[in-house]
Amino acid sequence: MATAHLIAVGSSPLGKTDLPGRDLFSRAIAEAFEGLPDPADVVDGLYVGAQSERYENQIMQGTLMAEWAGLRNVPAERVEACAAAGALALKNAVRDVRAGVHDAVLACGVEKMTAGGTEGATNALGAAFERALEQRSGITAPATYALLARRYLHETDATERDLARIAVKNHRNAASNPRAMFQQAVDVETVMDAPDVAPPLKLYDCAPVTDGAAAVVVANDEVAADLQRRHDAVHVAGVGSAANNLAVAERDLTFVEGANVAASTAYEDADVDAADIDVAEVHDAFTVCEALLAEAAEFAPKGRGIETVEDPGDRSAGWTDVQINTSGGLKARGHPIGATGLLQAIEAYEQLTDRAGERQVADANTALLINEGGVADAHTVAHVLTHND
Amino acid sequence: MTDTDSTTTGPLAPEDITAESPFTLPGFFDALAAGRLMAARCTECETHLLPPRPACYNCGSRAVTLSEQPRTGEVVSYTSVKRPPSAFEHLAPITVAVVELDSSARLTGRVTASLESVAIGDRVELRVCDPETVDIDPEFNLSYEEEWPVHVFDRL
Ligand SMILES: [Zn+2]
């Protein structure tokens, strides 16, 4: 099996922008290929993660993005698993390179979420939920996650203030991330006093509606050696994914089992344990997700995931030393749905190559990415990334 | 109410999967309109599947049977939707809950009570509404959904 390296990354500005999806993609590609030959001379195919065609009334994003990157007559496919679409693009690119199907593949993601206003985004996201009983009951994304949060607060010692501290931590991290949508810190009182969205979740418990695109070039040994200094390379050591039920009612509301399976599979593939992970980007679409995923990734004992905000030395016994969502997470870096899984990979790439500036975690060598779609772990994709040294 | 299991147990034959069978959505909603809430029950691991489907997500078995469900159960979790999808705007704020029926089957539904008056563990009862009385924007419905009833939970 060939090794799949990440050799270049790029992203567009994140937030509400005046650029349509394809132009956001162009920005991400322009950054990723700075100093490299043209995409057509590097990659043999493309996967693009895109949650919904409703935003811009456009399917066939594979073909369109390939065109905009100057690729012709190559496999170019859109992949979809709601918010896990970006990591699914990465997973497929890694699979192709590992299997020797392609020498290099472009994994990218794009979402123009503001194109239809708040109502357009609500309706597009709503399609991710089970239709017959749940959509027809009028639920929304915040409401489904609020059902998880309410139960989590009921079963554990965690409080709404603990969830607020997760938002505060992620805003603080985003403040030193030049890619982030929100680059200002917030305090706990601001989070606690913000309007309700779906109780117990308030405005700052929720990731924003974001426009954005991201791209990652995945390549085998030969292409990686040709295009970059080897001491600077990151490779994908492990991959895992799993689907859980679509209906939230049929899920364990306080244990994201699908995410646990995906992470465990990725650990096994990489031959590492949870304790080996130095930095993790986990899918904090809502603050409670960060706590649930810290537990599912086996960083934290059950019910103590909220200690993600504490310095490693101050956490309960059974916690690892991992630093979670150094990018600011979905919460504060931004959450352009189809691009999010790649934005997680970009943060890991920057951490593992010592490019993370003020938010750099010392001696970061191994990273875990968890990208989820649907309600929580309806679909989860996990990757373990490791520095080549 | 106790489960009333059907005599047939899967795997379903192709000819069993028709719009008259509660193993399909049209058959499930026809039964619901007639006052019967149906789930599938896995005969291997006892998991309830609501709406009914041909295979058990818990153990993989296709040895499933139909089982009429009790209407009563309790709130497992709940919240309020302040800004629902546009078709439901007139109902806002919507209290929604995950309810575990007395059979252990679970489903999500609207609760006809304010957020403040609901708590985890509250007893609720399922009620079936004619779609026209709920007044969901007809544009929301797919062609085959137009006649399907809508369920709600009332506090007991
Ligand atoms: Zn079973």
Side-chain angles (χ1 to χ4, degrees):
Chain A
M1 188 175 77
T3 299
H5 302 267
L6 303 193
I7 61 167
V9 304
S11 69
S12 73
L14 304 176
K16 188 177 188 330
T17 75
D18 54 3
L19 294 176
R22 70 181 77 179
D23 301 317
L24 293 167
F25 171 80
S26 294
R27 288 285 297 255
I29 294 299
E31 184 195 344
F33 283 87
E34 237 169 14
L36 291 184
D38 296 333
D41 296 327
V42 176
V43 300
D44 312 316
L46 166 155
Y47 292 99
V48 56
Q51 179 241 334
S52 182
E53 61 277 10
R54 287 195 186 191
Y55 298 112
E56 298 184 282
N57 196 36
Q58 181 75 68
I59 59 171
M60 300 298 288
Q61 288 104 328
T63 298
L64 182 63
M65 300 309 156
E67 239 181 284
W68 252 241
L71 304 170
R72 195 163 200 197
N73 295 330
V74 299
E77 300 169 11
R78 174 206 176 182
V79 293
E80 185 275 310
C82 193
L88 203 53
L90 178 60
K91 169 180 173 264
N92 287 354
V94 168
R95 182 192 58 202
D96 287 356
V97 169
R98 280 177 157 191
V101 174
H102 296 303
D103 296 333
V105 179
L106 184 58
C108 51
V110 61
E111 215 76 65
K112 178 65 186 176
M113 295 182 73
T114 65
T118 305
E119 185 181 322
T122 299
N123 293 339
L125 290 167
F129 311 129
E130 192 277 332
R131 172 78 184 183
L133 295 176
E134 299 199 332
Q135 284 189 37
R136 293 175 74 250
S137 294
I139 60 165
T140 57
T144 55
Y145 285 88
L147 293 168
L148 305 187
R150 174 83 65 191
R151 190 71 200 179
Y152 188 81
L153 299 184
H154 178 76
E155 287 186 22
T156 68
D157 296 332
T159 63
E160 290 183 39
R161 204 174 180 85
D162 289 322
L163 297 182
R165 293 179 70 212
I166 293 175
V168 169
K169 186 263 291 175
N170 286 346
H171 272 269
R172 189 172 62 235
N173 287 347
S176 55
N177 182 359
R179 295 184 195 273
M181 176 171 172
F182 297 121
Q183 298 190 15
Q184 68 283 347
V186 297
D187 60 20
V188 174
E189 298 316 319
T190 303
V191 179
M192 290 297 288
D193 293 344
D196 280 334
V197 175
L201 300 178
K202 297 170 281 295
L203 184 64
Y204 284 93
D205 289 294
C206 311
V209 167
T210 307
D211 298 337
V216 169
V217 182
V218 181
N220 66 11
D221 283 334
E222 290 70 30
V223 176
D226 202 27
L227 296 181
Q228 70 175 163
R229 297 163 296 148
R230 291 304 305 275
H231 72 267
D232 206 16
V234 168
H235 71 275
V236 178
V239 183
S241 73
N244 200 340
N245 292 41
L246 190 56
V248 69
E250 292 184 323
R251 236 77 75 58
D252 185 329
L253 299 180
T254 56
F255 176 57
V256 279
E257 187 181 357
N260 177 251
V261 170
S264 302
T265 306
Y267 290 156
E268 198 175 320
D269 189 25
D271 197 21
V272 299
D273 295 320
D276 297 321
I277 304 297
D278 303 305
V279 290
E281 289 287 308
V282 307
H283 197 91
D284 60 319
F286 297 87
T287 46
V288 68
C289 304
E290 186 165 315
L292 288 168
L293 288 169
E295 295 170 28
E298 296 171 1
F299 298 143
K302 182 121 176 74
R304 301 310 303 164
I306 48 162
E307 291 175 32
T308 175
V309 301
E310 307 289 353
D311 289 332
D314 297 333
R315 295 170 180 166
S316 297
W319 253 97
T320 74
D321 291 345
V322 67
Q323 296 284 1
I324 296 180
N325 286 337
T326 53
S327 69
L330 282 62
K331 173 69 213 67
R333 180 201 55 231
H335 183 26
I337 308 283
T340 285
L342 283 318
L343 290 166
Q344 293 181 323
I346 290 173
E347 176 67 10
Y349 178 85
E350 292 182 341
Q351 286 286 351
L352 299 180
T353 56
D354 212 19
R355 288 186 168 105
E358 280 177 53
R359 63 191 194 289
Q360 182 67 47
V361 173
D363 303 321
N365 269 307
T366 305
L368 176 72
L369 314 177
I370 298 183
N371 190 201
E372 290 184 329
V375 185
D377 61 332
H379 192 96
T380 311
V381 182
H383 286 95
V384 172
L385 271 49
T386 305
H387 193 265
N388 283 351
D389 288 345
Chain B
M1 186 187 271
T2 55
D3 289 3
T4 317
D5 286 4
S6 68
T7 48
T8 54
T9 297
L12 303 176
E15 55 272 26
D16 293 336
I17 303 171
T18 67
E20 284 69 50
S21 163
F23 277 108
T24 65
L25 289 177
F28 169 78
F29 281 106
D30 279 351
L32 190 62
R36 285 176 290 117
L37 175 65
M38 303 303 292
R41 188 176 58 79
C42 173
T43 62
E44 299 288 332
C45 77
E46 302 299 322
T47 297
H48 283 83
L49 312 157
L50 200 168
R53 65 208 74 167
C56 172
Y57 63 77
N58 187 49
C59 76
S61 171
R62 292 190 298 158
V64 289
T65 192
L66 283 170
S67 166
E68 186 172 346
Q69 296 300 297
R71 300 288 196 95
T72 52
E74 67 175 52
V75 171
V76 174
S77 192
Y78 67 99
T79 187
S80 169
V81 188
K82 254 179 83 175
R83 299 184 66 175
S86 37
F88 298 83
E89 246 160 30
H90 61 292
L91 298 169
I94 299 175
T95 304
V96 293
V98 171
V99 171
E100 183 163 317
L101 300 173
D102 296 336
S103 60
S104 85
R106 282 184 174 199
L107 73 164
T108 299
R110 286 192 289 126
V111 182
T112 56
S114 68
L115 180 77
E116 294 70 28
S117 62
V118 176
I120 288 176
D122 278 1
R123 298 286 300 165
V124 292
E125 180 167 23
L126 181 129
R127 176 161 56 88
V128 181
C129 307
D130 189 291
E132 281 172 20
T133 66
V134 181
D135 196 27
I136 296 170
D137 182 353
E139 298 246 311
F140 175 82
N141 285 323
L142 303 169
S143 61
Y144 57 77
E145 292 174 334
E146 284 165 12
E147 304 296 317
W148 289 2
V150 174
H151 71 287
V152 296
F153 291 103
D154 299 317
R155 287 183 71 238
L156 286 176

